[in-house]
Amino acid sequence: MPLLWLVVMYLGSIAVMLVSAFWTVNDFTGEVEQTFTLDNIARLFTDPLFATVALRTILVAFGVTVIDAVIAIPMALFMSKVASPRARLALLVAVTTPLWASYLVKAYAWRILVAPNGPISFVTGGHTPGYGLTATVITLAYLWLPYMIIPVYAGFDRVSNSLVEASFDLGGSAWRTVRSVVLPLVFPAIAAGSIFTFSLTLGDYIAVGIVGGKTQLLANLIYGQLVTANNQPFAATLSLIPLAAIVLYLFAIRRTGALENV
Amino acid sequence: MRKLLRIATSGAAVVLATAMLLSGCSSGGTPNATSGSTRAQPPKASMPSSLGAGEGQLNLVAWAGYAEDGSNDKSVDWVHPFEAQTGCQVHTTYGSTSDDMVQLMRTGQYDGVSASGDATLRLIYGGDVAPVNTKLVPNYTTISSFLKNGSWNSVNGQAYGIPHGWGANLLMYTPSAVSPAPTSWSAVFTDSGAYKGKVTAYDSPIYIADAALYLKATQPALGITDPYSLTAKQLAAAVTLLKAQSANVGEYWSDFTKEVQAFESGTSVVGTTWQVIANLINSDAKVKVETVVPKEGVTGWSDTWMVSTKAKHPNCMYEWMNYITSAKVNAQVAEWFGEAPAQTLACAETTDPTFCTTYHATDAAYAAKIYYWTTPTTQCVDGKGDNCTSYSDWVNAWQQIRG
């Protein structure tokens, strides 16, 4: 039964989208014409615009993922191994509380923070990233951080303290213990978190509209083709790019073995 | 997990196979009807010859500010009097852009829309709106004659809606940062380098027309006569100009609150605007801004109330179209929104007696200088041939400009 749901509802809708990627649209009436054509695919590869924006989007997704991992790993390590039970609870609440606020509220908050005459500029004496790619990466990293911290925290939590103690007993330093014992064990959790941050960034077009200045990402192009140009077939063609990117990402993760025993 | 992946992989194979099968087997499509000397005939749709009783409900798609029910400002309310008068309960959905409105109307869930000229032809030729019997709208007779039977609201002499109001896309600047006061669009195009990073522009493919209008005046060799009828070569020239401008743009704006905030925070100091935005900024009094009609002329909008072909409450919609263009209500809307009212008699009803003069409401000569937003089509909208670029070309060009 769940498999039926997966095939019909989920893969079925993706199939419809894939099909329409090979259709075209009547220039004048805006009606979709259901005739098979490879024009959309050809356009995807011949127009440099799409490669540029796709590359930019994937780099932003990597950037956001790396930033989130760098912040989340020490944070989660502290929460699960160092903090007292009471502090751990407080930290967990602190990490999840931002999820209660609306996405838009948080994005607009960053718009105000990075404004040319905003708080960041005031505190740093005029050094604000302003609206653009940097602000987009910061905002997205902020927005998706809980999705990285929670799985990584759960991963650290499952690493038995006795393993850590055994490492210490055998003369391992704190750093060596983290590097050779703990990190390999939590790597699957980091990989799981990175799937969230990576895929969520690939699909985002709202935050970049709010803090991105004149930057556009892949999802903006898709939105533009779908809503502004009313060219649903080409929008479907464009959405093959993030689809391919996330599939490749999943396979890359799988190769590292992170998905073996989750 | 490995098992799950295998399932996912085989699922993907199923998807691909179905995709190939479906796209191979599909056929049909609608014929492309674009040629001939007069405009192509839109899909047939009936219009009423008489009106019945109201249906009790009315679902509208409107620009923010066109159907105020007192929720923004208690004193600004013309929806409740309409409901009391006609018994039609009004439900308004605000469209943020013309494209948004076209999308909403395509759902067929609405009775009518306040469409701008860059949406009207798309709606007409998409078969989403019906011709309007103007005889059933008594207030139509006194509407400014230069708004009737325009290329954006009628096809071959048949009206497709009731004009509501119009206005120009002006050049706005912060005098404290921009001096001398600009008189030409060159301030945001060829000379925009002076305000690098603080120029703003309207984030819509239709903004290409502003560049075309500037090129029309500055590069006569291109032979642009109408900013919405561009050949591929003329469009390319406009794209080059806009790409150069893009280097100096700090932010594009699409909804007016974003521009208000950008000017108030100093993110933008010069760029295209609507009069109502300037009014809002000046009434907030954080910064002072000025607007000007540059010497090259301006683009503008002319909004039209249109009836959906799938309207479930057509009688209420006709009642609404007559009501919103009545002198008093049209004056209220125009003053609230900051545009010229379509109804000539509205000028006697405005709270500010000089309002119509400020907005040149009945000045046909001024109105004639505005190039109203029109949907570009391959069949040139100025009637000069079949080799023009279409709106989807413009969307693609706009994505190229944004980079």
Side-chain angles (χ1 to χ4, degrees):
Chain A
M1 206 51 205
L3 196 67
L4 191 76
W5 182 88
L6 182 77
V7 171
V8 175
M9 302 301 287
Y10 185 72
L11 297 179
S13 55
I14 294 181
V16 171
M17 192 193 78
L18 282 177
V19 173
S20 63
F22 296 97
W23 289 345
T24 178
V25 81
N26 184 312
D27 244 7
F28 201 60
T29 61
E31 306 265 351
V32 173
E33 292 184 344
Q34 303 181 350
T35 42
F36 181 83
T37 167
L38 287 173
D39 290 358
N40 287 339
I41 306 285
R43 192 171 149 205
L44 204 60
F45 286 103
T46 47
D47 193 331
L49 170 74
F50 303 119
T52 314
V53 178
L55 189 67
R56 181 188 301 145
T57 309
I58 289 167
L59 286 178
V60 167
F62 270 120
V64 168
T65 303
V66 168
I67 291 173
D68 277 349
V70 165
I71 298 174
I73 293 169
M75 177 101 186
L77 179 64
F78 180 81
M79 279 162 69
S80 71
K81 297 289 176 229
V82 183
S84 66
R86 184 182 291 229
R88 182 179 308 159
L89 186 69
L91 280 169
L92 263 179
V93 169
V95 166
T96 45
T97 307
L99 293 176
W100 292 18
S102 156
Y103 172 103
L104 284 176
V105 171
K106 289 181 278 184
Y108 270 105
W110 275 100
R111 182 175 164 84
I112 292 163
L113 280 176
V114 300
N117 55 1
I120 291 181
S121 168
F122 180 75
V123 171
T124 60
H127 298 287
T128 170
Y131 301 136
L133 211 52
T134 318
T136 309
V137 173
I138 295 173
T139 305
L140 288 172
Y142 168 79
L143 284 170
W144 311 143
L145 187 59
Y147 298 98
M148 181 65 101
I149 292 184
I150 305 280
V152 175
Y153 164 74
F156 274 119
D157 216 34
R158 263 186 299 170
V159 175
S160 164
N161 282 340
S162 54
L163 288 176
V164 178
E165 279 157 20
S167 168
F168 283 143
D169 288 348
L170 292 169
S173 66
W175 169 237
R176 182 71 201 267
T177 306
V178 167
R179 194 166 55 93
S180 304
V181 178
V182 181
L183 271 185
L185 285 170
V186 295
F187 183 73
I190 298 169
S194 78
I195 293 170
F196 284 124
T197 55
F198 189 78
S199 61
L200 286 170
T201 307
L202 278 186
D204 186 84
Y205 65 96
I206 299 170
V208 67
I210 294 170
V211 296
K214 54 187 178 177
T215 317
Q216 58 179 356
L217 295 180
L218 211 45
N220 299 90
L221 292 186
I222 298 172
Y223 181 86
Q225 289 295 342
L226 184 67
V227 175
T228 315
N230 193 36
N231 190 342
Q232 195 259 324
F234 192 60
T237 315
L238 278 178
S239 53
L240 293 177
I241 303 176
L243 197 65
I246 196 72
V247 166
L248 287 176
Y249 190 76
L250 281 175
F251 274 112
I253 294 271
R254 189 185 169 211
R255 277 196 80 104
T256 64
L259 303 177
E260 295 294 323
N261 41 20
V262 176
Chain B
M1 191 65 208
R2 197 167 231 174
K3 197 172 170 197
L4 230 167
L5 257 177
R6 201 176 313 129
I7 294 170
T9 327
S10 56
V14 172
V15 170
L16 271 174
T18 336
M20 297 298 171
L21 211 72
L22 279 172
S23 57
C25 289
S26 60
S27 62
T30 45
N32 201 336
T34 50
S35 55
S37 53
T38 55
R39 275 254 187 86
Q41 210 56 38
K44 269 212 162 32
S46 58
M47 65 179 179
S49 51
S50 64
L51 286 186
E55 295 90 347
Q57 302 290 332
L58 179 62
N59 299 321
L60 295 175
V61 174
W63 287 109
Y66 275 13
E68 288 296 315
D69 59 2
S71 51
N72 285 319
D73 182 334
K74 276 210 176 75
S75 62
V76 183
D77 180 3
W78 49 87
V79 166
H80 284 116
F82 171 77
E83 290 178 338
Q85 203 176 310
T86 62
C88 302
Q89 289 295 316
V90 179
H91 312 279
T92 311
T93 303
Y94 292 118
S96 55
T97 60
S98 286
D99 310 304
D100 197 18
M101 289 184 167
V102 173
Q103 212 67 23
L104 285 170
M105 286 306 284
R106 290 222 158 107
T107 65
Q109 290 170 5
Y110 301 92
D111 299 308
V113 59
S114 64
S116 293
D118 56 334
T120 49
L121 286 185
R122 277 186 274 166
L123 290 168
I124 293 171
Y125 282 100
D128 301 306
V129 293
V132 169
N133 187 346
T134 54
K135 288 196 195 74
L136 301 177
V137 184
N139 286 325
Y140 185 71
T141 47
T142 43
I143 277 173
S144 299
S145 53
F146 55 82
L147 296 174
K148 294 179 182 172
N149 284 327
S151 65
W152 65 92
N153 61 13
S154 69
V155 173
N156 302 334
Q158 171 61 55
Y160 270 80
I162 305 297
H164 168 99
W166 53 279
N169 297 316
L170 305 164
L171 178 62
M172 177 161 74
Y173 59 97
T174 312
S176 57
V178 179
S179 69
T183 58
S184 158
W185 285 114
S186 64
V188 292
F189 290 122
T190 36
D191 303 334
S192 57
Y195 314 107
K196 192 169 170 57
K198 301 207 161 183
V199 177
T200 190
Y202 189 52
D203 187 7
S204 165
I206 208 70
Y207 183 67
I208 292 172
D210 284 56
L213 190 63
Y214 178 69
L215 290 175
K216 177 177 178 282
T218 53
Q219 291 186 35
L222 280 168
I224 296 173
T225 51
D226 175 89
Y228 302 98
S229 308
L230 302 181
T231 61
K233 190 173 153 243
Q234 292 164 344
L235 179 64
V239 168
T240 311
L241 183 65
L242 288 165
K243 273 189 175 162
Q245 180 199 41
S246 177
N248 299 321
V249 168
E251 245 194 337
Y252 291 91
W253 65 276
S254 53
D255 70 304
F256 69 91
T257 45
K258 194 172 166 187
E259 189 179 35
V260 168
Q261 205 227 331
F263 268 80
E264 287 183 345
S265 69
T267 311
S268 304
V269 297
V270 64
T272 182
T273 195
W274 302 331
Q275 186 63 48
V276 62
I277 296 176
N279 294 352
L280 278 170
I281 297 172
N282 283 334
S283 72
D284 283 355
K286 284 184 197 154
V287 290
K288 198 178 135 32
V289 292
E290 299 273 356
T291 57
V292 62
V293 176
K295 61 185 182 205
E296 293 88 0
V298 286
T299 59
W301 74 90
S302 182
D303 291 345
T304 308
W305 284 100
M306 304 181 115
V307 188
S308 168
T309 42
K310 301 177 195 92
K312 288 183 190 73
H313 317 101
N315 292 326
C316 274
M317 188 60 208
Y318 269 84
E319 296 257 27
W320 171 262
M321 290 196 293
N322 192 44
Y323 174 78
I324 201 76
T325 51
S326 61
K328 208 167 170 172
V329 179
N330 206 224
Q332 268 183 293
V333 183
E335 281 201 284
W336 172 250
F337 190 81
E339 64 180 353
Q343 178 58 261
T344 51
L345 304 179
C347 291
E349 301 282 348
T350 51
T351 51
D352 169 8
T354 62
F355 183 80
C356 277
T357 330
T358 317
Y359 283 88
H360 307 266
T362 52
D363 185 348
Y366 176 86
K369 275 190 272 180
I370 299 175
Y371 290 87
Y372 296 104
W373 281 351
T374 303
T375 315
T377 55
T378 42
Q379 193 186 15
C380 303
V381 279
D382 63 355
K384 290 229 172 81
D386 285 331
N387 60 344
C388 283
T389 46
S390 70
Y391 189 67
S392 55
D393 295 326
W394 284 39
V395 175
N396 296 333
W398 187 247
Q399 296 200 329
Q400 299 284 353
I401 293 158
R402 297 285 314 272

